[in-house]
Amino acid sequence: MPNFQPYLQSPLVNFNLPAQAVPADSKQLVRANELPLLGYIVLRGELADPAVAQAITKATGLAVPAACRFSSGEAGVLIWQSPDECLLVTARAAVPALLAACAKHFDGLFAQAVDNSGGLTTVYLSGAEHVTLLRHLGVYDFESIEAGDAASTVLGKAGALVCRVDGDGVFLVIRRSFADYLWLLITKAAIPYRFAVAKLPSAGKNPFLRLVDAGSPAKRAVTA
């Protein structure tokens, strides 16, 4: 097929979120939108091993986070998932260079880096009642999630990483195969809270929002 041209597509493309996006407003008690087409690299190795931790830091420039926490920096967000696994959320364009850096610094170690960019996506959930909305979706003590925390839990029947940067909202890192299911679950549960797909302002220092290209249509259609 010489004319075949591969292309990237958000798992939520059929919802046409950019067309629904409206300016953020305090009347919207729950807002949600996708940060589409980011890069996701799974880093595996015994995190308690100083050699592995040092290799991860050299490859990414990020400190290995404590259990159930995340660290952030220029490369993106490094999320603790288990004693032998972290997830690096980064800009899609940065993935090849980061994989090469991991291959270099992991040489000789029982560690590996795997590109899982095609298997995950991130949704930003915000608004005054975003924690209330999470209570509708799962049994986790969502009020206990503080800035810098990364909680692995179940929303409905699908797994998710819930990451909090500040009090404004949380980032949900979810599997691509469950993205449409979770989006419908969120939007249905949020109906009583004047739900909206809202545009986001400048990313500022937010480590997740900085990963979305400021000049792209995707950036202008992500949640506030």
Side-chain angles (χ1 to χ4, degrees), residues 51-155:
V52 171
Q54 185 178 44
I56 291 174
T57 298
K58 286 183 176 179
T60 66
L62 303 173
V64 173
C68 302
R69 299 279 291 175
F70 66 84
S71 62
S72 62
E74 186 175 348
V77 182
L78 187 62
I79 306 170
W80 186 96
Q81 289 196 278
S82 76
D84 60 2
E85 185 173 305
C86 284
L87 176 67
L88 174 61
V89 184
T90 188
R92 194 80 175 220
V95 170
L98 285 166
L99 287 173
C102 287
K104 173 185 176 182
H105 292 290
F106 289 2
D107 186 38
L109 298 174
F110 192 66
Q112 67 174 163
V114 179
D115 182 6
N116 196 22
S117 299
L120 299 168
T121 194
T122 297
V123 168
Y124 185 32
L125 185 67
S126 64
E129 297 293 342
H130 74 275
V131 174
T132 305
L133 186 281
L134 286 170
R135 291 196 205 109
H136 288 296
L137 306 182
V139 298
Y140 194 90
D141 181 14
F142 296 106
E143 292 88 344
S144 69
I145 302 177
E146 301 179 346
D149 285 351
S152 180
T153 187
V154 175
L155 302 178

Side-chain angles (χ1 to χ4, degrees), residues 13 15 24 33 49 54 69 95 120 129 147 150 168 186 200 207-208 215 222:
V13 64
F15 294 99
N33 205 332
D49 182 341
Q54 185 178 44
R69 299 279 291 175
V95 170
L120 299 168
E129 297 293 342
D168 295 337
I186 289 169
L200 71 99
F208 282 91
V222 181

